[in-house]
Amino acid sequence: MPLPDNIRHAHPYFMYDEIRLQPEAVTRAIEGGAASQEVTALLRRSSRIFIVGNGTSFHAAEAAAQVMRQVSPEWNVRAVQAYEFVHERPVCRPGDVLFAVSHAGESRMAIEAVDAGRRLGIPTVAVTGFVDAPVGRAADLVLATGYGAELSWAHTVSYTTVIAALAAAALQTVTTQTARRLEEELDGLPDLMRAALDLEAAVVHLVPTVSGARSVWFVGAGADEVTAREAALKLIETSRQVAVGMELEQMLHGYLPALQGEDLIWEIAPRPHGGRGLDLARAAEIVGTPVVMQTDGDAASAGHASWLRVPGPLGAFAALVQIVPLQLLSYRVALARSLNPDLIGRGEPRYLRAAESYT
């Protein structure tokens, strides 16, 4: 895993360009997923679907699985960490299918998961931007995300295009009223993502609060829990900031004693979760921990919480809109700390050697 030859040494880094081009890339991913006839045919005859990945790819698998369950309630869709699929070896049966997500197509565990799926006798599909990479060669089929040029190791565009491509392919299999509604939401998604990019100035305003925190706790419920964990991963990768992704109700049951005034809670809380998000904000205020509320609803009474309003209303594809300002946040915090976000710490030799030791 040598360092790339084309390293940028100042803003804009590759990560920034890739965050900004996501609306267009997601449009291509939707078109490509809808046109993937072999994948659609496979989905039509599937009853149980495993989607595997590691790191950001696993978060994309989780978000895609949530969308696919809405597309067809008959499907049993499971997001599984690739390592767990390889070593736990689930009992497979006719009608099962494996989708292996790997942005660059070179993830060791994703490739081993494909090999395990084939040994278990089930069809395998690689979901990747690099169709000629090892995971694509190992699988029976490839679902191309349409973006095969990601240059930053802090994956952003490959996260959103995976979800969009899988959703678009899944929607070709059904003709229900729910599917038509989801298709309309998917068609409008790039515009919502463009609007989310316009939040950059508001995000920059919050950078000192995040960068100065001892730890940042990203919190969400439902689909937003996945976004919370992906946001924490991005902040850790790019900025070496201590961060945690947490489910909302779990945060309320046992984790509050870890919080101090120098910590920060960042809630991803559309509307915001029937008032439960406000319960957490009020509890945090009592213990003296500042809160940022990221919501597509109106600001309500939540003490001294800061508010970041995202475009909405958000529907089934909220994960692809909510993550955009959080990607910008991790990028901007890295700049504030004079770090190159593209290298996710591997510009320092010991971290590069550590990554090479297990990749």
Side-chain angles (χ1 to χ4, degrees):
M1 183 191 296
L3 289 175
D5 296 328
N6 54 345
I7 295 175
R8 290 183 178 177
H9 298 283
H11 171 71
Y13 291 96
F14 290 117
M15 181 186 180
Y16 186 73
D17 290 347
E18 289 163 354
I19 292 171
R20 302 290 307 182
L21 60 77
Q22 284 179 111
E24 291 71 27
V26 163
T27 297
R28 292 194 299 272
I30 293 169
E31 293 169 351
S36 301
Q37 296 181 2
E38 289 182 304
V39 173
T40 299
L42 179 61
L43 284 171
R44 284 198 178 101
R45 59 179 185 267
S46 299
S47 56
R48 190 169 59 163
I49 300 165
F50 296 97
I51 313 179
V52 303
N54 311 292
T56 290
S57 292
F58 177 56
H59 295 158
E62 291 182 296
Q66 292 181 344
V67 172
M68 293 172 74
R69 285 192 286 267
Q70 294 185 61
V71 171
S72 181
E74 291 77 21
W75 285 335
N76 180 344
V77 189
R78 306 181 184 183
V80 183
Q81 222 286 339
Y83 178 90
E84 299 299 329
F85 186 88
V86 170
H87 291 279
E88 295 300 324
R89 295 291 177 91
V91 175
C92 292
R93 54 180 182 260
D96 290 352
V97 61
L98 173 73
F99 286 81
V101 179
S102 176
H103 303 313
E106 298 177 344
S107 168
R108 170 185 163 190
M109 279 300 147
I111 296 167
E112 289 190 19
V114 168
D115 291 340
R118 299 191 72 174
R119 286 194 295 273
L120 291 167
I122 63 175
T124 58
V125 181
V127 187
T128 181
F130 297 83
V131 296
D132 295 325
V135 73
R137 295 195 298 269
D140 299 312
L141 296 172
V142 174
L143 177 60
T145 64
Y147 190 79
E150 193 161 45
L151 297 174
S152 175
W153 282 338
H155 296 306
T156 54
V157 60
S158 53
Y159 173 74
T160 51
T161 53
V162 162
I163 302 167
L166 280 166
L171 282 167
Q172 298 306 301
T173 68
V174 291
T175 57
T176 63
Q177 186 173 355
T178 297
R180 287 195 296 272
R181 174 181 60 80
L182 292 174
E183 284 180 339
E184 291 177 359
E185 289 186 18
L186 191 58
D187 289 341
L189 177 61
D191 286 338
L192 285 177
M193 296 179 74
R194 289 186 187 94
L197 288 169
D198 290 339
L199 295 172
E200 184 169 3
V203 168
V204 169
H205 179 72
L206 291 165
V207 164
T209 300
V210 174
S211 185
R214 183 184 69 164
S215 63
V216 182
W217 297 66
F218 293 98
V219 181
D224 298 315
E225 180 193 355
V226 179
T227 303
R229 286 188 277 110
E230 174 61 12
L233 176 58
K234 278 292 153 292
L235 194 58
I236 293 167
E237 285 182 325
T238 60
S239 308
R240 298 185 179 178
Q241 168 72 58
V242 176
V244 181
M246 181 69 61
E247 196 275 334
L248 171 60
E249 196 66 20
Q250 284 293 101
M251 189 71 199
L252 289 166
H253 290 276
Y255 290 90
L256 283 176
L259 299 178
Q260 303 293 330
E262 58 267 34
D263 298 310
L264 174 69
I265 290 179
W266 189 298
E267 283 199 61
I268 306 158
R271 294 168 299 281
H273 289 306
R276 199 57 163 164
L278 298 178
D279 289 343
L280 175 57
R282 284 188 287 267
E285 183 178 4
I286 291 170
V287 300
T289 301
V291 176
V292 175
M293 297 285 287
Q294 178 174 320
T295 174
D296 67 338
D298 294 331
S301 175
H304 296 94
S306 300
W307 291 82
L308 182 69
R309 291 187 185 85
V310 296
L314 298 176
F317 303 100
L320 289 88
V321 181
Q322 293 275 39
I323 195 60
V324 171
L326 297 166
Q327 293 169 340
L328 288 167
L329 177 70
S330 63
Y331 178 84
R332 287 293 178 176
V333 173
L335 295 191
R337 295 183 169 195
S338 300
L339 296 171
N340 183 337
D342 292 339
L343 301 182
I344 57 174
R346 295 172 187 171
E348 188 174 333
R350 59 175 175 159
Y351 288 105
L352 181 63
R353 292 197 305 272
E356 290 172 336
S357 72
Y358 60 80
T359 302

Coordinates of all heavy atoms in Angstrom, one line a residue, residues 221-222 224 248-249 252 267-280 282 293 295-298 300-301 307:
A221 N -31.1 7.6 15.4 CA -32.0 6.5 15.6 C -32.4 6.0 14.2 O -32.4 6.8 13.2 CB -33.3 6.8 16.4
G222 N -32.8 4.7 14.1 CA -33.2 4.2 12.8 C -32.0 4.3 11.8 O -30.9 4.0 12.0
D224 N -30.6 6.9 10.8 CA -29.7 7.9 11.2 C -28.6 7.3 12.1 O -27.5 7.9 12.3 CB -30.4 9.0 11.9 CG -31.4 9.7 11.0 OD1 -31.0 10.0 9.9 OD2 -32.5 10.0 11.4
L248 N -29.7 6.4 19.4 CA -30.3 7.5 20.3 C -30.7 6.9 21.7 O -30.3 7.4 22.7 CB -31.4 8.1 19.6 CG -32.3 9.1 20.4 CD1 -31.5 10.2 21.0 CD2 -33.5 9.5 19.6
E249 N -31.5 5.9 21.6 CA -32.0 5.3 22.9 C -30.9 4.7 23.8 O -31.0 4.8 25.0 CB -33.1 4.3 22.6 CG -34.0 4.0 23.9 CD -34.8 5.2 24.3 OE1 -35.1 6.2 23.5 OE2 -35.3 5.2 25.5
L252 N -29.2 7.3 25.8 CA -30.0 7.7 27.0 C -29.9 6.7 28.1 O -30.2 7.0 29.3 CB -31.5 7.9 26.6 CG -31.8 9.1 25.8 CD1 -33.2 9.1 25.2 CD2 -31.6 10.4 26.6
E267 N -26.4 15.4 17.3 CA -27.6 14.6 17.1 C -28.0 14.7 15.6 O -28.2 15.8 15.1 CB -28.8 15.1 18.0 CG -28.7 14.6 19.4 CD -30.1 14.7 20.1 OE1 -31.0 14.0 19.6 OE2 -30.2 15.4 21.0
I268 N -28.3 13.6 15.0 CA -28.8 13.5 13.7 C -30.3 13.1 13.9 O -30.6 11.9 14.1 CB -28.1 12.5 12.8 CG1 -26.6 12.9 12.8 CG2 -28.6 12.5 11.4 CD1 -25.7 11.7 12.5
A269 N -31.2 14.1 13.9 CA -32.5 13.9 14.4 C -33.6 14.6 13.6 O -34.1 15.6 13.9 CB -32.6 14.4 15.8
P270 N -34.0 14.0 12.4 CA -35.0 14.6 11.7 C -36.3 14.7 12.5 O -36.8 13.8 13.2 CB -35.3 13.6 10.5 CG -34.0 12.8 10.4 CD -33.4 12.8 11.8
R271 N -36.8 15.9 12.6 CA -38.1 16.3 13.1 C -38.3 16.3 14.6 O -39.5 16.5 15.0 CB -39.2 15.5 12.4 CG -39.3 15.9 10.9 CD -40.2 14.9 10.2 NE -39.7 13.6 10.2 CZ -38.8 13.1 9.5 NH1 -38.1 13.9 8.6 NH2 -38.4 11.9 9.6
P272 N -37.5 16.2 15.5 CA -36.3 15.3 15.7 C -36.7 14.0 16.4 O -36.9 14.1 17.7 CB -35.3 16.1 16.4 CG -36.1 17.1 17.2 CD -37.5 17.2 16.5
H273 N -37.1 13.0 15.7 CA -37.5 11.7 16.3 C -38.6 11.8 17.4 O -38.4 11.2 18.5 CB -36.2 11.0 16.9 CG -35.3 10.5 15.8 ND1 -35.7 9.7 14.8 CD2 -34.0 10.8 15.6 CE1 -34.6 9.5 14.0 NE2 -33.6 10.1 14.5
G274 N -39.7 12.5 17.0 CA -40.8 12.5 17.9 C -40.5 13.1 19.2 O -41.2 12.7 20.2
G275 N -39.6 13.9 19.3 CA -39.3 14.6 20.6 C -38.2 13.8 21.4 O -37.7 14.4 22.4
R276 N -37.9 12.6 21.1 CA -36.9 11.9 21.9 C -35.5 12.5 21.7 O -34.7 12.6 22.7 CB -36.8 10.4 21.4 CG -36.2 9.5 22.4 CD -36.9 9.5 23.8 NE -36.5 8.4 24.6 CZ -36.7 8.4 25.9 NH1 -37.3 9.4 26.5 NH2 -36.4 7.3 26.6
G277 N -35.2 13.1 20.6 CA -34.0 13.8 20.4 C -33.9 15.0 21.3 O -32.8 15.3 21.8
L278 N -35.0 15.7 21.5 CA -35.0 16.8 22.5 C -34.8 16.3 23.9 O -34.2 17.1 24.7 CB -36.3 17.6 22.3 CG -36.6 18.2 21.0 CD1 -38.0 18.9 21.0 CD2 -35.5 19.2 20.6
D279 N -35.3 15.1 24.2 CA -35.0 14.6 25.6 C -33.5 14.5 25.8 O -33.0 14.8 26.9 CB -35.7 13.2 25.7 CG -37.2 13.3 25.8 OD1 -37.7 14.4 26.1 OD2 -37.8 12.2 25.6
L280 N -32.8 14.0 24.8 CA -31.3 13.8 24.9 C -30.7 15.2 25.0 O -29.8 15.4 25.9 CB -30.8 13.0 23.8 CG -29.2 12.9 23.7 CD1 -28.7 12.3 25.0 CD2 -28.8 12.1 22.5
R282 N -31.9 17.9 26.2 CA -32.1 18.5 27.6 C -31.3 17.8 28.6 O -30.8 18.4 29.6 CB -33.6 18.4 27.9 CG -34.5 19.5 27.2 CD -35.9 19.5 27.7 NE -36.6 18.4 27.2 CZ -37.4 18.3 26.1 NH1 -37.5 19.4 25.4 NH2 -38.1 17.3 25.8
M293 N -27.9 20.0 17.0 CA -29.0 19.3 16.4 C -29.0 19.4 14.9 O -29.1 20.5 14.4 CB -30.3 19.8 17.0 CG -30.4 19.6 18.5 SD -30.8 17.9 19.0 CE -32.5 17.8 18.5
T295 N -31.1 18.6 11.7 CA -32.5 18.2 11.5 C -33.1 18.9 10.3 O -32.6 19.9 9.8 CB -33.4 18.6 12.7 OG1 -34.7 18.4 12.4 CG2 -33.2 20.1 13.1
D296 N -34.1 18.2 9.7 CA -34.8 18.8 8.6 C -36.1 19.5 9.0 O -36.9 19.9 8.2 CB -35.1 17.8 7.5 CG -36.1 16.7 8.0 OD1 -36.3 16.6 9.2 OD2 -36.8 16.1 7.1
G297 N -36.3 19.6 10.4 CA -37.5 20.2 10.9 C -37.2 21.6 11.5 O -36.0 22.1 11.4
D298 N -38.2 22.2 12.1 CA -38.0 23.5 12.7 C -37.3 23.4 14.0 O -37.5 22.4 14.7 CB -39.4 24.1 12.9 CG -40.1 24.5 11.6 OD1 -39.3 24.7 10.6 OD2 -41.3 24.5 11.5
A300 N -36.8 23.6 17.7 CA -37.7 23.6 18.9 C -36.9 23.9 20.1 O -35.7 24.1 20.1 CB -38.4 22.2 19.0
S301 N -37.6 24.0 21.2 CA -36.9 24.3 22.5 C -36.0 23.2 22.9 O -36.4 22.1 23.2 CB -37.9 24.6 23.6 OG -37.3 24.8 24.8
W307 N -28.1 24.5 16.0 CA -29.0 23.9 15.0 C -28.4 23.9 13.7 O -27.9 25.0 13.3 CB -30.4 24.5 15.0 CG -31.2 24.2 16.3 CD1 -31.1 24.9 17.4 CD2 -32.1 23.2 16.5 NE1 -31.9 24.4 18.4 CE2 -32.6 23.3 17.8 CE3 -32.6 22.2 15.7 CZ2 -33.5 22.5 18.3 CZ3 -33.6 21.3 16.2 CH2 -34.0 21.5 17.5

